[in-house]
Amino acid sequence: DRIAYNCHDLEDGMRARLLESESMQDIEIFVEARRRIQVDAIDDWTIRRTRTAKAIIEILVGDCIGTSRANIEAAGIRTAAEACARAENLIALSPESDRKLRDLEEFLLQRFYHHESLVQNSQKVRGWLGGLFERLCRRPEGMPGYFQRFIPQHGLERAVCDYIAGMTDRYCLKLFEQT
């Protein structure tokens, strides 16, 4: 999960043009991935962006598989039950790849997640979600019967939260605009 969501967030940030390649030249895994795909030979910006993110995933997943295989072998694991009985996590990145991924995570935190435009949008979305939550609490019949049936056992607020949590962004915004 950690590999996937960081790589997809990186790609999203590049797609939104909030992250530029020039700002990532100190991110070792980014530079390594671009070298691996021979980015300078790719003319199309969209293909460069997508292949870079996929190359980072391939590098890190390959490392995870190799490191995990070595951990399992060193632990003498022969069955799934033996693996499940272990207290330590056998599925892991090598220390070097973990450091590279942490560097990418720190970059995303500083340059993407806290980007001014995302912070502003986040505040707007909080308002929309709060408004939708209040409206559905006042009119729970606006929810599908499946969620209405949760109300007696789990409470109105929990049922509304679960309903909103399962929505796509687009559906949530559409519902907010309709209610």
Side-chain angles (χ1 to χ4, degrees), residues 14 21 24-25 27-34 52 56:
M14 293 169 64
S21 298
M24 293 181 265
Q25 294 309 307
I27 310 303
E28 192 175 344
I29 193 75
F30 179 79
V31 172
E32 181 181 341
R34 288 172 57 89
T52 299
I56 294 172

Side-chain angles (χ1 to χ4, degrees), residues 7 22-23 31 38 41 61 73 86 88 92 94 112 122 127 138 142 146 149 156 159 173-175:
C7 290
E22 296 75 34
S23 68
V31 172
Q38 301 175 342
V61 168
E73 187 175 309
R86 297 301 285 240
E88 74 273 19
S94 67
F112 184 52
S122 177
R138 283 193 309 267
Y146 176 79
R149 288 190 290 276
L156 175 63
L173 184 55
K174 179 181 172 185
L175 192 60

Side-chain angles (χ1 to χ4, degrees), residues 107-125:
F107 174 83
L108 289 170
L109 179 64
Q110 297 302 318
R111 302 292 281 282
F112 184 52
Y113 304 134
H114 291 160
H115 194 281
E116 183 180 332
S117 67
L118 291 181
V119 171
Q120 290 171 353
N121 279 339
S122 177
Q123 291 168 346
K124 275 192 250 182
V125 169

